[in-house]
Amino acid sequence: MAVTVSLVVLFGALLFVMLRARSLGAGAAFVAVMFGFFLASTGAAEPIRSMTAALARVLPSL
């Protein structure tokens, strides 16, 4: 778990820097995929799923 969290932080920081520098390409896509992959295996995955499901329920009623 500690390795996964550190990889999430690493890929998240790297993705943030790439987006700030507007360096979007194959490298940024790879970093985004790896960030999502490692984020899905942390404890943050369930709250993110819950929030997404709540938004999906609310949007049609707007």
Side-chain angles (χ1 to χ4, degrees):
M1 178 81 166
V3 172
T4 301
V5 172
S6 62
L7 286 173
V8 167
V9 171
L10 173 71
F11 283 119
L14 195 56
L15 184 60
F16 177 77
V17 168
M18 292 177 100
L19 290 173
R20 283 291 287 202
R22 298 177 194 245
S23 172
L24 302 177
F30 174 76
V31 170
V33 167
M34 295 307 290
F35 176 69
F37 177 77
F38 286 111
L39 183 64
S41 61
T42 65
E46 189 56 39
I48 292 171
R49 278 191 205 107
S50 298
M51 183 179 66
T52 305
L55 284 172
R57 285 191 303 267
V58 168
L59 285 178
S61 65
L62 293 178

